Amino acid sequence: MNLKDPICAIATPPGKGAIGVVRLSGEGALEIAARVWRGKDPRRLKGGRFALGEVVDPKTGEAIDQAILLVFRAPRSYTGEDLVEFQTHGSPAVLRRVMEVLVAEGARPAGRGEFTFRAYLNGKMDLAQAEAVLALIEAEGELARRQALRALEGALSRRIEALENRLLNLLAHIQALLDYPEEGVEPLEAERTIREVLAEVEALLAQAKASRLAQKGARLALIGAPNAGKSSLLNALLGYERALVSPIPGTTRDYLEAPLELFGIPLVAVDTAGVRETEDPVERMGVERALGIAEEADLVLYVVDRSQPKPAPPPLPWARTLKVATKSDLPPAWEDPEFLPVSSLTGEGLDRLKEAVREALLGREGGEVLLTERQVEALLRARERLEEALSLPEDLMGLALEEAARALALLTGKEVAEEVVARVFQNFCVGK
Ligand SMILES: Nc1nc2c(c(=O)[nH]1)N(C=O)[C@@H](CNc1ccc(C(=O)N[C@@H](CCC(=O)O)C(=O)O)cc1)CN2
Ligand SMILES: Nc1nc2c(ncn2[C@@H]2O[C@H](COP(=O)(O)OP(=O)(O)OP(=O)(O)O)[C@@H](O)[C@H]2O)c(=O)[nH]1
Ligand SMILES: [K+]
Ligand SMILES: [Mg+2]
């Protein structure tokens, strides 16, 4: 692949919009822009300046659209190259023609993520930041957006680099001890340093699940006996009357899904049919379905009516189940500290339930760190090597430490194999 040739792409999403943006980056971008532009000559614009004019077809002189042209000059641009943006009306007909004239004048349609790839190659960002660009575009919930922006701004990269540096300093120290045993090099505190680095790696890994849930969302299943108050609780969590509620047991016959954002996590709450022993074949199907939904859910709310005698518990994945006692506004038939009391009628206990859901999904850490699957793998490898180093005498731990440092370097993309980098950018859309 030619790494500097001029590339162009529509940067705005497909469809009609107020404004559409076409970006052009690489060697000769300003010259190509000048040929398709009627207005102030882009070659004479300083970086960061714009002009109002027309995009034209140079073959015919025909105007394609009235537009704004914005110039960034290398190295001060997103890609680090000369870069021109055409901000046109957001019409698919306009954007297509702008692309056509740019290609006719010698630019090439960009591949997926190629602008960001160039930014990476030109040192504008590291691989963790490039992955954050993608995660930010893909973010659907507030938490995913916050995690991605922090990573984009380099929070993760700085943390990783600090760990890498500690390992490299330690390695240098070990080497000095080996090379000059009689020179009075300070004795090592290798174990303490390694344990501290390991603790940081563990702290990051503890946030992997939160990062995955923030990005992919989570399923929350409400399971319990008929009339336990599942549908009422769903409505109370949603804040509107999504599910039918009635005093008749068996009101919910089949499951029902509703999107719900809690603490910035995009959740799908699933209300299900009441679970009990039954002869009715249709009801039996509903029960089986409910138990299957519980099995697949990230978190289950086991809903029990506290004003009635406690039913026998159904088979649920208890390790990821929260126990909820509903109808706390009514006189209780039993007490059990394992159950969170709530009333869908008065709203009592709802905030505590939401807090418990947050903690069950994200852990106490809170989950502000973006970690991609690729990064989690690298951290796991680093952890393994650090643990190995701890099991070795100081004069033999060098290799394991080196490998741990290399695993950490994978996160920020130093020493990453070309195919791995290519795979990261394959996930991007064209135009980013
Ligand atoms: N019109 C437009 N809006 C956009 C982008 C864009 O490319 N174009 N972005 C695209 O993602 C995001 C903003 N990110 C950007 C990051 C760096 C540079 C940039 O030109 N950086 C140069 C110059 C900095 C300066 O002049 O202060 C540099 O880092 O050297 C531009 C946009 C979101 N909004
Ligand atoms: N007092 C009081 N009544 C409630 C509360 N939650 C639910 N109910 C009542 O309990 C009855 C059953 O509520 P639903 O939400 O339909 O119960 P469900 O578990 O979805 O029932 P099925 O779908 O039939 O399995 C209705 O009459 C509700 O008004 C509560 O917190 N307090
Ligand atoms: K009911
Ligand atoms: Mg119901």
Side-chain angles (χ1 to χ4, degrees):
M1 198 189 331
N2 186 334
L3 296 176
K4 288 187 171 157
D5 65 329
I7 53 173
C8 59
I10 300 170
T12 39
K16 298 170 187 173
I19 313 280
V21 175
V22 174
R23 288 200 292 188
L24 168 66
S25 179
E27 275 176 359
L30 291 164
E31 287 69 27
I32 293 173
R35 294 202 288 277
V36 304
W37 185 246
R38 186 145 60 217
K40 184 158 179 167
D41 187 339
R43 290 167 298 186
R44 298 178 52 192
L45 281 177
K46 284 195 184 133
R49 293 303 172 98
F50 72 88
L52 176 63
E54 280 174 337
V55 185
V56 295
D57 184 339
K59 299 247 158 47
T60 59
E62 183 204 0
I64 293 171
D65 190 17
Q66 189 181 59
I68 280 172
L69 175 148
L70 178 52
V71 168
F72 298 83
R73 286 184 178 270
R76 300 197 58 199
S77 72
Y78 181 75
T79 55
E81 306 172 322
D82 282 343
L83 187 153
V84 177
E85 276 188 15
F86 297 93
Q87 306 193 350
T88 67
H89 293 95
S91 147
V94 167
L95 292 166
R96 192 178 342 117
R97 278 300 296 284
V98 174
M99 283 294 288
E100 275 169 17
V101 294
L102 291 176
V103 170
E105 291 305 315
R108 158 172 76 75
R112 289 172 172 276
E114 202 170 357
F115 290 89
T116 307
F117 180 52
R118 289 181 177 198
Y120 165 71
L121 288 181
N122 292 326
K124 288 285 167 187
M125 58 177 80
D126 64 27
L127 202 55
Q129 289 170 304
E131 286 175 309
V133 169
L134 178 62
L136 185 56
I137 291 173
E138 301 273 325
E140 281 175 14
E142 268 297 289
L143 182 59
R145 181 192 63 72
R146 279 206 306 277
Q147 289 175 348
L149 182 62
R150 280 174 58 116
L152 177 68
E153 292 178 341
L156 178 64
S157 306
R158 284 192 295 275
R159 243 170 118 172
I160 295 296
E161 265 161 25
L163 297 181
E164 250 184 278
N165 285 336
R166 294 193 67 176
L167 291 182
L168 295 177
N169 288 340
L170 182 58
L171 270 166
H173 203 111
I174 290 176
Q175 203 53 48
L177 270 181
L178 290 177
D179 293 349
Y180 311 102
E182 64 291 335
E183 295 281 308
V185 179
E186 297 239 341
L188 279 172
E189 287 197 67
E191 185 178 331
R192 205 184 71 193
T193 304
I194 297 171
R195 284 200 189 283
E196 283 170 9
V197 172
L198 191 55
E200 265 277 294
V201 170
E202 300 274 11
L204 283 170
L205 280 170
Q207 306 218 35
K209 183 185 161 210
S211 184
R212 197 186 65 235
L213 289 180
Q215 290 178 71
K216 301 220 163 111
R219 287 173 72 80
L220 177 70
L222 285 79
I223 312 283
N227 261 6
K230 303 175 294 298
S231 299
S232 303
L233 182 57
L234 175 86
N235 292 342
L237 287 170
L238 293 174
Y240 63 93
E241 302 301 303
R242 172 68 179 82
L244 283 179
V245 167
S246 91
I248 303 161
T251 302
T252 308
R253 292 286 273 185
D254 198 355
Y255 74 99
L256 172 165
E257 298 182 342
L260 162 69
E261 187 166 317
L262 265 194
F263 303 103
I265 317 164
L267 297 177
V268 175
V270 191
D271 183 20
T272 61
V275 171
R276 66 170 165 192
E277 294 293 327
T278 172
E279 300 295 307
D280 175 356
V282 179
E283 189 180 357
R284 184 69 227 154
M285 283 174 0
V287 169
E288 273 171 10
R289 198 163 237 197
L291 295 175
I293 285 166
E295 214 42 61
E296 284 165 17
D298 297 286
L299 188 65
V300 176
L301 300 184
Y302 174 46
V303 182
V304 182
D305 180 348
R306 202 185 60 168
S307 71
Q308 299 295 320
K310 220 191 220 176
L316 289 178
W318 295 106
R320 48 194 161 83
T321 296
L322 293 175
K323 297 174 181 168
V324 184
T326 50
K327 312 192 192 180
S328 68
D329 54 289
L330 298 176
W334 44 271
E335 298 286 349
D336 184 338
E338 283 191 18
F339 281 73
L340 287 161
V342 301
S343 168
S344 305
L345 199 67
T346 66
E348 184 199 355
L350 269 185
D351 284 344
R352 242 183 315 144
L353 173 60
K354 289 180 187 171
E355 189 50 44
V357 168
R358 191 190 69 79
E359 197 174 313
L361 289 174
L362 299 184
R364 280 173 202 276
E365 291 285 323
E368 293 294 314
V369 177
L370 169 76
L371 286 173
T372 63
E373 275 171 43
R374 190 190 70 80
Q375 293 166 348
V376 170
E377 252 172 62
L379 284 171
L380 288 171
R381 194 179 310 176
R383 179 172 75 182
E384 218 172 88
R385 292 286 92 86
L386 289 169
E387 280 167 350
E388 184 188 335
L390 280 176
S391 72
L392 296 169
E394 286 182 358
D395 54 338
L396 293 181
M397 58 174 56
L399 182 60
L401 289 178
E402 224 169 90
E403 285 174 355
R406 204 170 303 143
L408 290 176
L410 291 176
L411 271 97
T412 48
K414 286 175 251 154
E415 305 191 43
V416 172
E418 229 172 275
E419 318 88 76
V420 176
V421 174
R423 211 174 313 139
V424 167
F425 289 97
Q426 270 313 304
N427 293 321
F428 278 62
C429 48
V430 169
K432 191 66 222 182

